[in-house]
Amino acid sequence: MTDTPEEKKLPVHIGFIMDGNGRWAEEQGLKRTAGHKKGAEVARLVIEHAKKRGIKVVTMYAFSTENWKRPKAEVKTLLDIFRKYMNEDIKELQKQKVRVSFIGDREKFPADMVKRMNEIERETAAYTDFRVVLALNYGFRDDMIAAIKKIAVDILDRKYLISGINEDKVNEALSTHDTPYPDLIIRTSGEQRLSNFLMWESAYAELYFTPVYWPDFNEHDLDDAIEAYGRRNRRFGKVTI
Ligand code: IPE
Ligand code: IPE
Ligand code: MG
C-alpha cells in the first residue's frame, strides 16, 4: 500500500456504535430482528476489513445495559444471535488469529454463553496482531461505578492513598484497561450521540457519524471513515505548529 497522507494517520483503535438495524428492517417491511441478523453478518465483514486495513483494535458496541428494556422477544432473538455468533463467526476469527474479548457484565447472560465467552478469551489470549472487543451488556456508567468501587476497596486496603488516584489508576479499574483509548468512534444510522459507550475513553476520540444504517455499512464506508479521520487535526488541547 502506498504511503498516502491518510495512511500515515491510521487510527489504532476504532469503536463502532452499530446502530440502525431495526430501522433498516422496518423500512423494508421486515421484522426488526431481520436487521439484527444482517447486522451480525456485517460486523464480521467490517472486522475483517479493519484487520486488512491495519487497524489494531476494534470495539463493537453490540448490546448496551439499557437494551434489556426492549421487548422480551427482541432481547431473546439478540441473545440467540450472539450465541450463534460466538459459535460460528468467532470460530472463523479464531482461525485468522484474532484475539477476541468482551467488556460488559457477562453474568447477566445465560450460563452457556458466559462459559463460551470465557473460553473464547482463553483460547485467543495469545494473539497479538489484531483484537476485537465485543461490548455486550456494556454501559459506561456501570463500568465507572464498578471502577469507583474497586478504587475504594484499594484505598481501604491501603494499597495507595487518595492522593494517589490518577488517570492511570482509573484506567486500571475500568474494563477497558488493556486496550488503548479509541482514536475514532463511528456511529451509523444518523444518530449523533454516544449512548453510554466508552465515555471516559473517548474523551479525545474523533467522532464520525454516518446516516448509513448498520446493515448497509460496508468496506467502502469504513474506508471513507478512515480517510476522514486522516484529514482531522487532533490537537489534544495544544496549538498546532
Ligand atoms: C442497533 O440497532 C442494535 C442494538 C442496539 C442491539 P437498533 O436495534 O438500535 O436499530 P434502530 O436504532 O432501532 O434502528
Ligand atoms: C446504542 O444503540 C447501543 C448499541 C448500538 C448496542 P441504541 O439504539 O440502543 O441507542 P439509543 O437508544 O438510540 O440512544
Ligand atoms: Mg438504535
Side-chain angles (χ1 to χ4, degrees):
M1 204 172 274
T2 53
D3 196 21
T4 57
E6 58 269 26
E7 293 304 323
K8 280 187 203 148
K9 285 215 293 177
L10 205 59
V12 173
H13 178 182
I14 303 181
F16 289 92
I17 303 177
M18 306 185 282
D19 198 14
N21 293 351
R23 279 165 284 166
W24 176 88
E26 279 161 3
E27 284 181 17
Q28 308 178 61
L30 300 170
K31 284 200 236 157
R32 291 177 55 83
T33 48
H36 296 315
K37 285 194 183 112
K38 182 74 175 31
E41 284 170 33
V42 168
R44 162 94 172 278
L45 283 177
V46 169
I47 288 168
E48 290 179 347
H49 190 62
K51 181 171 184 276
K52 219 189 282 169
R53 286 295 316 261
I55 307 303
K56 292 293 176 194
V57 186
V58 293
T59 299
M60 317 296 288
Y61 200 14
F63 194 83
S64 76
T65 46
E66 287 73 34
N67 288 148
W68 296 105
K69 294 175 193 154
R70 294 186 178 202
K72 255 198 182 125
E74 180 168 341
V75 171
K76 187 186 174 298
T77 307
L78 278 165
L79 296 196
D80 289 342
I81 290 169
F82 298 147
R83 188 179 278 111
K84 186 166 174 275
Y85 200 81
M86 287 179 205
N87 290 318
E88 295 172 18
D89 300 65
I90 293 184
K91 275 216 175 101
E92 273 312 305
L93 293 174
Q94 282 184 248
K95 283 186 202 155
Q96 298 166 42
K97 297 200 186 315
V98 173
R99 179 171 174 193
V100 182
S101 59
F102 300 87
I103 54 171
D105 182 7
R106 67 190 72 178
E107 297 308 324
K108 276 220 181 154
F109 292 110
D112 67 300
M113 283 178 68
V114 178
K115 186 168 166 269
R116 183 72 190 120
M117 287 188 224
N118 294 335
E119 203 172 78
I120 289 166
E121 286 186 342
R122 243 192 348 263
E123 288 171 1
T124 66
Y127 301 140
T128 51
D129 283 357
F130 177 71
R131 60 182 295 200
V132 174
V133 181
L134 291 168
L136 285 179
N137 189 26
Y138 172 85
F140 172 72
R141 288 175 181 168
D142 271 12
D143 209 32
M144 185 47 97
I145 291 165
I148 290 168
K149 287 179 184 166
K150 277 187 216 159
I151 290 172
V153 169
D154 284 350
I155 299 279
L156 289 175
D157 288 348
R158 301 187 182 280
K159 287 193 183 153
Y160 47 85
L161 300 170
I162 288 177
S163 58
I165 301 173
N166 56 21
E167 188 172 338
D168 285 344
K169 288 278 186 296
V170 175
N171 275 327
E172 281 161 25
L174 288 167
S175 66
T176 50
H177 59 89
D178 62 348
T179 46
Y181 289 144
D183 303 292
L184 172 65
I185 302 283
I186 299 174
R187 182 168 189 153
T188 56
S189 90
E191 307 301 347
Q192 303 194 1
R193 53 179 172 263
L194 288 175
S195 301
N196 211 6
F197 184 55
L198 305 183
M199 285 166 58
W200 157 280
E201 297 84 346
S202 44
Y204 268 101
E206 295 298 324
L207 307 179
Y208 182 88
F209 300 107
T210 166
V212 175
Y213 290 142
W214 180 255
D216 282 330
F217 193 83
N218 63 27
E219 289 94 331
H220 303 295
D221 296 311
L222 178 54
D223 288 340
D224 287 349
I226 292 173
E227 202 191 305
Y229 172 86
R231 289 193 300 267
R232 303 270 180 100
N233 182 3
R234 301 184 80 189
R235 282 187 289 277
F236 298 98
K238 300 175 200 157
V239 174
T240 317
I241 305 157

